[in-house]
Amino acid sequence: MPRWGMTIDLSKCTGCASCMVACKVENNLPIQKPEVILQSRDISWMEILPMKEGEGFEGGHAEEHSDHEEPSRMRYLPRPCMHCDDPPCVKVCPVYATTLDKDGIVSQIYDRCIGCRYCTNNCPYTAKLFVWNTPEWPDEMMAGINPDVSVRPKGVVEKCTFCHHRLQRASEQAKAEGRPIKDGEFLPACLEVCPTQAILFGDLDDPSTPVARAAASPRAFRELEDLGTKPKVFYLKEDY
Amino acid sequence: MEQFHFPRWTNKLKQALGAGLLFGPVYIVLIFWFGASPKTLAVGYSPEQPVPFSHARHAGELGMDCRYCHTTVEKAARAAIPHTSICMNCHKQILNEDQRLQPVRDSLASGKPIRWVRVHDLPDYVFFDHSAHVNRGVGCKTCHGRVDQMDQVAQKETLAMGWCLACHRNPELFLRPMDKIVSMTWEPEGDQVDVGREVQQAHNIQPSESRSTCHR
């Protein structure tokens, strides 16, 4: 059984946000009204966190920084769900709606979710998001809804799933041909559109895959590693 | 000091409690009774269709293969409702002036599909894949019943999650040889469990119970 994981090369990420757009289209995330966005209730499974060098993330604690002579530059941190091997969200779900699947993907069952938001509070990466509004699309876009992904109703928690509906399709194909699933057959939508190919995806347990090699490189780090959640999304440092 | 007296209305509590004890169990029984009744679970649901198409005539009497019309069933998640041009392959010659077929001819002329009424309707959060089942020894009849005897298609099984899992946990009770998938009349030679086990081992069938398989 593969253990799916992702690496994001921060030296290649330009913060263009095409991964965010691709994710929204692939996973039926609605286009929100301006008043909803002003309430910070817009949902994006893949989020780009911008940071001015030496200042910390927006809304976070500003780090002490010396007075640079040079103009400061922007850094970007794309943040999907980390798909932890020891997920804090799964531990607190009272109704068993979020679970760690055998292939390492943390999945969410929307019809089981009661919307208590315990998991959103327990996720240190804020990767779990509550649906505040009934999703709506302009009429022209209704035909473009992805039939492989459910449209979530108001009042449940949703999250990045590594596009696991694509995994089902790929594994179905592999099973029909009587072989194990190959590297590169199952890729999430964010990876496909990344213009700089900053994202790699594949089986972390197979050392021959590019993603496993990248995850083992000295540049690799994981967010909030000291919490012991063992995320399966690795970042590659810009400089070391 | 004045003694405490319960107010007079509390006398009625005793009767209310008695009524509760009497009707409470009845209520609980009724809830489960109706919740699990075939009517609630839509068994026997048989809506009238815009064209009185008879599966008994086509699949039964004429012996047409299911896959002649439901073309995608072996390759895709959805067993396609046929395009009207497939109907017209035969019906441009046969019954080509029949009034009952007028919506089909209209549909072919205008390019707008006929609005068939869906019989086997799963909830939106369930993702069923026909190809995964048809290519792995689950026959049409196992879920859809004897369609070759239905003039108007009716739902035969509950399509409830417990019903799905009954097969996913014990597939040998339902599997059949691969060349008998579309057969409506196939019966196992000997014990079904032996036949099912043989098919399961020959094709390495391991029904998934992983969550993202069915719910996404």
Side-chain angles (χ1 to χ4, degrees):
Chain A
M1 185 69 72
R3 200 169 65 96
W4 302 105
M6 183 185 269
T7 58
I8 301 175
D9 193 336
L10 296 179
S11 67
K12 287 183 182 169
C13 177
T14 58
C16 72
S18 46
C19 51
M20 283 172 72
V21 177
C23 176
K24 287 205 171 200
V25 173
E26 177 75 19
N27 291 302
N28 297 340
L29 284 149
I31 298 166
Q32 294 289 12
K33 296 191 192 80
E35 46 284 18
V36 176
I37 295 171
L38 282 176
Q39 287 173 312
S40 317
R41 289 177 177 182
D42 185 28
I43 289 177
S44 190
W45 289 3
M46 174 63 126
E47 218 156 7
I48 302 233
L49 307 174
M51 180 181 81
K52 217 174 235 176
E53 192 161 79
E55 280 191 12
F57 293 114
E58 207 178 314
H61 297 290
E63 287 167 20
E64 280 182 35
H65 57 94
S66 56
D67 290 323
H68 280 292
E69 295 282 314
E70 296 165 35
S72 58
R73 57 180 272 229
M74 294 298 287
R75 286 174 188 260
Y76 300 98
L77 190 89
R79 195 238 52 219
C81 170
M82 301 292 154
H83 292 275
C84 313
D85 269 340
D86 194 4
C89 56
V90 169
K91 287 180 188 157
V92 296
C93 181
V95 291
Y96 207 50
T98 180
T99 46
L100 181 65
D101 284 356
K102 272 181 267 174
D103 41 21
I105 293 177
V106 179
S107 63
Q108 181 87 13
I109 306 176
Y110 309 113
D111 52 310
R112 224 179 256 176
C113 176
I114 54 170
C116 71
R117 283 177 272 156
Y118 203 162
C119 58
T120 58
N121 288 319
N122 218 35
C123 175
Y125 309 103
T126 61
K128 303 209 89 173
L129 303 148
F130 186 69
V131 186
W132 289 93
N133 306 84
T134 306
E136 285 170 21
W137 285 268
D139 283 344
E140 298 80 23
M141 287 181 74
M142 287 303 280
I145 285 179
N146 187 350
D148 288 338
V149 182
S150 50
V151 174
R152 280 82 53 190
K154 180 167 113 177
V156 299
V157 171
E158 58 180 38
K159 65 184 283 295
C160 157
T161 59
F162 272 169
C163 290
H164 64 21
H165 52 285
R166 293 176 172 218
L167 168 64
Q168 297 306 328
R169 209 186 304 155
S171 69
E172 199 47 58
Q173 184 71 33
K175 270 188 201 166
E177 290 167 20
R179 56 176 172 80
I181 185 162
K182 276 187 290 199
D183 190 51
E185 272 187 317
F186 161 42
L187 298 171
C190 49
L191 177 147
E192 283 184 342
V193 296
C194 183
T196 56
Q197 295 172 359
I199 304 176
L200 293 176
F201 188 83
D203 183 5
L204 288 175
D205 279 354
D206 180 357
S208 68
T209 57
V211 68
R213 279 203 297 274
S217 90
R219 283 169 67 209
F221 74 97
R222 294 182 285 186
E223 254 191 278
L224 303 178
E225 214 157 345
D226 50 334
L227 292 180
T229 53
K230 300 177 198 143
K232 283 197 284 296
V233 174
F234 291 77
Y235 293 94
L236 301 182
K237 276 182 227 173
E238 283 186 53
D239 33 43
Y240 71 106
Chain B
M1 194 186 133
E2 206 180 333
Q3 220 176 341
F4 175 76
H5 291 288
F6 280 103
R8 204 154 258 287
W9 62 265
T10 52
N11 288 346
K12 287 184 189 141
L13 279 180
K14 212 164 38 179
Q15 281 102 314
L17 189 69
L21 280 178
L22 194 66
F23 291 112
V26 179
Y27 176 71
I28 290 167
V29 166
L30 285 181
I31 284 274
F32 281 98
W33 190 294
F34 286 115
S37 87
K39 205 176 172 190
T40 322
L41 296 169
V43 170
Y45 173 60
S46 176
E48 204 171 307
Q49 303 288 354
V51 180
F53 176 86
S54 165
H55 277 87
R57 170 66 54 81
H58 291 83
E61 242 176 85
L62 301 172
M64 285 167 69
D65 195 298
C66 307
R67 294 164 293 189
Y68 180 73
C69 303
H70 301 291
T71 47
T72 61
V73 71
E74 285 180 316
K75 296 178 204 103
R78 288 161 189 81
I81 303 292
H83 191 269
T84 25
S85 64
I86 292 183
C87 308
M88 279 303 170
N89 284 350
C90 301
H91 281 293
K92 66 186 172 201
Q93 308 288 341
I94 307 155
L95 297 179
N96 56 0
E97 278 171 21
D98 197 300
Q99 265 313 304
R100 290 171 297 174
L101 279 157
Q102 194 55 44
V104 181
R105 286 190 287 273
D106 289 348
S107 157
L108 189 67
S110 67
K112 285 201 180 122
I114 303 170
R115 287 196 166 263
W116 299 100
V117 184
R118 188 163 195 168
V119 181
H120 297 83
D121 196 4
L122 290 173
D124 290 349
Y125 47 80
V126 181
F127 293 82
F128 178 83
D129 192 327
H130 273 94
S131 68
H133 292 84
V134 171
N135 293 325
R136 241 151 270 153
V138 182
C140 307
K141 186 192 153 219
T142 309
C143 307
H144 293 290
R146 288 297 297 268
V147 176
D148 64 327
Q149 293 175 351
M150 293 177 195
D151 271 325
Q152 189 168 288
V153 173
Q155 189 173 321
K156 281 288 170 218
E157 300 288 346
T158 61
L159 309 187
M161 184 167 152
W163 173 81
C164 294
L165 285 176
C167 184
H168 272 236
R169 287 180 180 155
N170 296 305
E172 67 275 5
L173 300 176
F174 302 94
L175 293 181
R176 50 171 76 197
M178 294 299 168
D179 53 338
K180 300 281 186 256
I181 294 297
V182 293
S183 169
M184 285 284 153
T185 50
W186 179 82
E187 289 296 331
E189 288 168 30
D191 196 9
Q192 165 66 49
V193 177
D194 294 338
V195 177
R197 287 243 169 81
E198 209 174 289
V199 176
Q200 192 178 1
Q201 271 159 19
H203 298 277
N204 188 25
I205 294 164
Q206 296 160 332
S208 169
E209 279 180 53
S210 177
R211 282 136 205 106
S212 60
T213 314
C214 315
H215 302 294
R216 309 163 194 159

